[in-house]
Amino acid sequence: MSKENICIIYGGKSAEHEVSILTAQNVINAVDLSKYCVDIIYITNDGEWIKGEHSIENHIEDVEQLRLKTNELTPISKLLESSINGQSYDAVFPLLHGPNGEDGTIQGLFEVLDIPYVGNGVLAASCSMDKLVMKHLFAHRGLPQLPYVSFLKSEYEKYKHNIQELIQNKLDYPVFVKPANLGSSVGISKCTNKEELISGIEEAFKFDRKLVIEQGVEAREIEVAVLGNDYPETTLPGELVKDVQFYDYKSKYKDGRVQLQIPADIDEETATTLRNMAVEAFKATDCSGLVRADFFLTEDNTIYINETNAMPGFTQYSMYPQLWENMNLSYTELITKLIELAIERFNNKKDIKYKID
């Protein structure tokens, strides 16, 4: 049986560049090389696209091997035109986090070039990336959320005092200050007073022009993995068990101070509700491929949806693959399934008419 050609794209012009490289190493080492010929494209921090000179044949032992270099840059469309063996790509697998990677921009490029790609489409990626737009869609779907305030940098510069008063009148401390368009906890601060709030806002504006300030709540953090296209499937919920008050970028990726409890210790009725809500969130943002839905669960079993992540952490030990591992779908099998879903979605779109006879 002939192998299919895929291209793994990673790196990116984003604050989550390093996370993307680590993810790429994990996926490359797990992909089924008996089924796929694998090319790689590295996007540098400056936005340059560099294609590997050879298809992947062995494990990547050192992440530094993935920081490709070249003296000759090739147009992006040419890099994606065909694989190293001369055949067109059956699918590309973008392992990009943050702006220009999971916000719909690179997905739009793949659409224009008519290339099948793993993960969410343009609309789903962009509205899942923008926390404010996502909240509007959740509200329309009737999903319960905690109170929040959102504003632009230009508005804050002009009405700083009024916005600070609005936050303190509408929300109770602690609050979480978040850039609207970043993931992996980059630029997020937990604030317990006005001084910390002002500092958190200033920090978050380094990463985005729009912020979301969310009400904090004493609750467990529960996550559900969703997989599929039109008929998505879900996992049993898992829980983040932390020995830190706030699950920031450092504790998430560097300190290892977060443990995953899979499945979460919750009753069957609550688990079913969470799984159903995860599907509702998936549909609310018109997702396909993969999504991780994140929830808060209070002591009295009240559920609030926090967010969906259209390109969740995807190292072998991240919550999303581990949730599927618990459902007897291995990391390698999960990667294969995602590629198959990408090709399925691409083939289904061929039935859409683009011109009038």
Side-chain angles (χ1 to χ4, degrees):
M1 185 178 72
S2 61
K3 296 182 181 182
E4 293 183 317
N5 296 302
I6 66 169
C7 183
I8 292 173
I9 304 176
Y10 61 94
K13 195 175 180 180
S14 163
E16 298 174 79
H17 184 94
E18 299 301 319
V19 177
S20 176
I21 296 176
L22 180 61
T23 302
Q25 181 187 25
N26 278 250
V27 172
I28 290 167
N29 289 343
V31 70
D32 189 345
L33 295 180
S34 70
K35 292 183 178 180
Y36 303 108
C37 290
V38 180
D39 289 351
I40 59 173
I41 291 178
Y42 171 53
I43 304 177
T44 70
N45 263 316
D46 295 324
E48 297 173 340
W49 290 49
I50 305 171
K51 191 172 185 175
E53 295 181 359
H54 307 284
S55 292
I56 297 296
E57 296 180 354
N58 301 302
H59 273 212
I60 304 297
E61 302 297 339
D62 185 350
V63 72
E64 294 302 316
Q65 294 175 247
L66 295 175
R67 298 183 195 276
L68 307 182
K69 294 180 173 60
T70 184
N71 294 321
E72 183 178 345
L73 298 180
T74 305
I76 294 170
S77 58
K78 288 289 184 183
L79 292 178
L80 294 170
E81 199 171 74
S82 65
S83 64
I84 288 173
N85 65 21
Q87 303 298 312
S88 60
Y89 287 117
D90 293 282
V92 295
F93 200 147
L95 295 171
L96 300 160
H97 299 283
N100 302 313
E102 59 175 307
D103 60 357
T105 50
I106 200 167
Q107 289 78 10
L109 172 65
F110 299 146
E111 292 283 353
V112 169
L113 296 177
D114 203 28
I115 298 173
Y117 57 95
V118 170
N120 288 279
V122 175
L123 175 64
S126 59
C127 63
S128 295
M129 186 69 180
D130 190 307
K131 293 179 177 64
L132 181 60
V133 173
M134 178 170 45
K135 286 180 178 298
H136 292 331
L137 292 171
F138 288 165
H140 182 74
R141 202 82 181 191
L143 292 167
Q145 303 177 79
L146 289 163
Y148 66 90
V149 171
S150 181
F151 48 89
L152 301 175
K153 184 175 183 179
S154 58
E155 294 172 332
Y156 186 71
E157 289 172 343
K158 190 171 184 179
Y159 305 109
K160 183 179 298 187
H161 176 75
N162 291 347
I163 289 174
Q164 290 172 4
E165 289 298 308
L166 172 65
I167 294 168
Q168 296 198 111
N169 290 335
K170 185 174 181 179
L171 308 178
D172 295 324
Y173 291 111
V175 299
F176 288 86
V177 180
K178 301 181 178 182
N181 288 282
L182 268 182
S184 294
S185 302
V186 174
I188 297 179
S189 301
K190 179 181 180 180
C191 307
T192 60
N193 55 52
K194 185 175 181 179
E195 183 178 293
E196 291 178 356
L197 172 67
I198 294 171
S199 177
I201 290 172
E202 292 172 353
E203 176 66 16
F205 272 136
K206 295 176 183 177
F207 297 96
D208 198 3
R209 58 182 284 273
K210 179 166 58 176
L211 304 188
V212 174
I213 318 296
E214 297 177 346
Q215 173 73 63
V217 64
E218 190 69 35
R220 299 161 67 184
E221 296 185 34
I222 309 294
E223 301 183 348
V224 177
V226 188
L227 178 68
N229 288 333
D230 292 345
Y231 301 98
E233 299 178 359
T234 62
T235 64
L236 290 171
E239 181 175 2
L240 294 174
V241 182
K242 306 172 290 184
D243 67 353
V244 287
Q245 285 193 331
F246 170 43
Y247 187 36
D248 62 6
Y249 180 91
K250 189 176 180 215
S251 61
K252 184 181 289 188
Y253 293 107
K254 295 185 177 181
D255 291 347
R257 299 181 68 183
V258 179
Q259 294 183 347
L260 311 182
Q261 182 171 326
I262 303 172
D265 184 16
I266 54 179
D267 62 76
E268 185 175 345
E269 182 179 354
T270 301
T272 299
T273 301
L274 286 161
R275 296 176 76 172
N276 290 338
M277 289 176 66
V279 171
E280 286 298 302
F282 185 92
K283 292 179 177 180
T285 46
D286 193 31
C287 289
S288 56
L290 74 165
V291 155
R292 194 193 69 225
D294 300 349
F295 300 91
F296 296 121
L297 178 64
T298 67
E299 189 174 0
D300 64 358
N301 265 13
T302 300
I303 299 171
Y304 300 100
I305 189 164
N306 179 23
E307 62 182 3
T308 52
N309 194 316
M311 186 57 224
F314 204 79
T315 69
Q316 184 175 357
Y317 304 105
S318 298
M319 176 67 95
Y320 186 89
Q322 286 293 302
L323 285 169
W324 283 111
E325 187 82 42
N326 181 63
M327 305 295 287
N328 297 315
L329 187 69
S330 73
Y331 191 45
T332 294
E333 291 168 335
L334 177 59
I335 292 167
T336 298
K337 180 64 175 177
L338 286 168
I339 295 169
E340 291 172 350
L341 286 168
I343 295 171
E344 173 189 277
R345 181 183 60 189
F346 180 79
N347 289 335
N348 287 342
K349 288 181 67 176
K350 289 181 179 178
D351 295 332
I352 299 173
K353 293 181 67 172
Y354 292 96
K355 62 180 180 180
I356 300 174
D357 296 330

